[in-house]
Amino acid sequence: MQPVAPPDRPPEPPWAALDDDALLDVRMCDLGLSIAGSGLEPRIQELETELKVRGLEFRPHYWLSDEWFCPDGVPGIAIPFYLAHPRLGRLEQAMMLEVEGGTVEWCLRILRHEAGHAIDNAYRLRQRRRRRELFGPSSAPYPKYYLPRPYSKSFVIHLDAWYAQSHPDEDWAETFAVWLDPNGDWRSRYADWPAVRKLEYVDLVMRALAGTPPPVNTQRTVEPLDELKKTLREHYQERRGFYGVDHPDFYDRDLRRLFSDDPQHTSRPSAATFMTRFRKEARRRVGRWTGTYQYTIDRVIGDMIDRCSELNLRLKYPEDRTTLDFTILVTVQTMNYLHGGRHRVAL
């Protein structure tokens, strides 16, 4: 008996062999990507299984675009193109220093969140009086930046940076995502939080919708990948500008607490060299704590490096102590950035 040959894998697209600089000149519409056959398929299947287990008939439709989003009135989810091919994931990592949704767990968290928006559109839930009372009006303008309250128990915590606090619709989507998560155990986790009232409302509404087809079932897509004429270079110029630090506010006093330009420290390593060596690890640590884009943190550290070079600062304490203090300094500056009302709405 002849062994069965595995199915032929589709050939790699020509752009997959390009280096980053050449790849950046490819137009997004020329990538020729599809969700079918990509690593996104099992993640979408997992989301749909979770919806099915809850008895919901609703299923979003999906398409590739330049970022994660769910358009108003559309019961579907746009997924960023870089998750459909490993080569583009590596480019995203190089350009943005992380791949949003790049792990299975992270991708599912975002899919559940976007499904919250999509089901809201599918059943026109934002029109319900009780929803408006609990979450606020959808008509509230989206802020360019928002000021989170990290210790508030009136909002669930799902995505990073206390995203539920950015807008009433994001509060709804985050609450839905926590409710949908099969491993979330929201009743125990939020038992003594005011946010539990929102979760109980979502649970009540979803139980009532079980088995009910959605009244809005359009398959419309917005800004699908094959209609985006911009190059990847233009795309990343826009994104890096969006997530960059507009006006970093670092004080020489804070830097001089860690480093010194006193001649007695001339033989010590320069502060700029130390920061450069520790930059990647500091970025990761601060990113885990603050939920801020690593690209933003990297820009913050980059500005600190530049200023230390200008001041000709050098280490004045042992490196292990400086490493800890430097991480704390970057964290404090990042939190100042958040609490200063300059945190960007990302999804």
Side-chain angles (χ1 to χ4, degrees):
M1 182 176 182
Q2 294 292 328
V4 178
D8 292 335
R9 301 180 65 177
E12 284 286 88
W15 48 258
L18 299 176
D19 62 24
D20 284 0
D21 191 59
L23 181 55
L24 286 169
D25 289 325
V26 176
R27 294 193 307 171
M28 301 183 79
C29 60
D30 294 331
L31 291 171
L33 293 170
S34 172
I35 291 176
S38 75
L40 287 167
E41 276 196 313
R43 302 175 191 187
I44 289 173
Q45 290 170 1
E46 170 62 26
L47 173 68
E48 298 200 339
T49 296
E50 293 174 7
L51 294 169
K52 182 179 179 180
V53 167
R54 296 288 190 166
L56 295 168
E57 288 199 14
F58 168 71
R59 301 291 183 272
H61 63 287
Y62 313 87
W63 68 97
L64 295 175
S65 187
D66 58 353
E67 63 178 337
W68 291 100
F69 65 95
C70 174
D72 279 348
V74 177
I77 301 172
I79 301 176
F81 66 95
Y82 56 77
L83 293 179
H85 195 282
R87 177 65 185 93
L88 296 171
R90 293 194 295 273
L91 180 66
E92 176 77 6
Q93 177 71 43
M95 299 303 295
M96 299 304 297
L97 305 179
E98 63 185 323
V99 181
E100 187 179 28
T103 66
V104 173
E105 180 184 0
W106 195 358
C107 186
L108 282 171
R109 287 206 309 269
I110 300 175
L111 282 171
R112 293 183 189 112
H113 172 96
E114 298 298 347
H117 288 305
I119 200 169
D120 188 15
N121 293 333
Y123 291 94
R124 302 188 182 99
L125 300 178
R126 66 185 60 180
Q127 298 177 8
R128 300 190 177 198
R129 180 179 58 82
R130 183 57 177 161
R131 182 204 188 279
R132 293 197 302 270
E133 291 174 351
L134 284 172
F135 295 91
S138 294
S139 58
Y142 261 88
K144 184 178 181 182
Y145 308 100
Y146 67 97
L147 180 63
R149 292 175 290 143
Y151 303 107
S152 174
K153 293 188 175 183
S154 296
F155 303 87
V156 299
I157 298 175
H158 178 66
L159 296 179
D160 291 332
W162 309 281
Y163 195 59
Q165 300 184 35
S166 65
H167 187 272
D169 285 351
E170 303 306 338
D171 190 10
W172 163 269
E174 286 286 83
T175 305
F176 175 87
V178 168
W179 172 84
L180 184 63
D181 185 353
N183 301 312
D185 192 18
W186 59 267
R187 292 188 186 277
S188 297
R189 181 181 178 187
Y190 293 96
D192 59 347
W193 289 39
V196 77
R197 291 184 300 145
K198 298 174 181 177
L199 285 159
E200 289 169 345
Y201 175 73
V202 170
D203 185 60
L204 180 68
V205 171
M206 293 305 132
R207 289 179 184 276
L209 292 179
T212 304
V216 179
N217 52 25
T218 175
Q219 297 292 300
R220 183 166 67 92
T221 62
V222 175
E223 297 182 358
L225 190 66
D226 58 8
E227 294 181 7
L228 298 179
K229 307 300 183 185
K230 60 186 174 182
T231 65
L232 289 168
R233 190 181 305 278
E234 292 167 333
H235 165 72
Y236 283 113
Q237 285 173 346
E238 293 174 4
R239 289 198 75 207
R240 288 162 71 108
F242 184 82
Y243 288 110
V245 180
D246 296 329
H247 300 288
D249 187 16
F250 300 112
Y251 300 100
D252 293 353
R253 179 189 68 247
D254 295 328
L255 293 174
R256 290 183 186 278
R257 287 173 180 165
L258 291 185
F259 311 108
S260 173
D261 59 357
D262 191 296
Q264 68 174 307
H265 299 298
T266 302
S267 63
R268 304 295 304 278
S270 74
T273 299
F274 164 78
M275 289 183 180
T276 300
R277 181 159 47 87
F278 189 57
R279 185 174 189 163
K280 186 175 182 180
E281 179 60 25
R283 192 178 71 223
R284 288 177 175 172
R285 291 184 185 182
V286 177
R288 284 197 300 268
W289 169 244
T290 65
T292 305
Y293 259 87
Q294 287 194 33
Y295 179 72
T296 300
I297 301 168
D298 195 70
R299 288 285 301 275
V300 168
I301 297 174
D303 284 312
M304 295 175 76
I305 291 172
D306 291 343
R307 187 56 180 157
C308 283
S309 294
E310 293 169 2
L311 297 174
N312 195 28
L313 298 180
R314 294 182 175 275
L315 271 69
K316 61 179 179 179
Y317 300 116
E319 188 165 308
D320 55 351
R321 171 180 170 178
T322 304
T323 297
L324 175 60
D325 290 345
F326 173 61
T327 305
I328 294 172
L329 175 60
V330 176
T331 301
V332 168
Q333 292 290 0
T334 303
M335 295 302 291
N336 287 339
Y337 175 75
L338 287 171
H339 288 280
R342 298 191 297 273
H343 190 72
R344 295 185 182 271
V345 173
L347 292 182

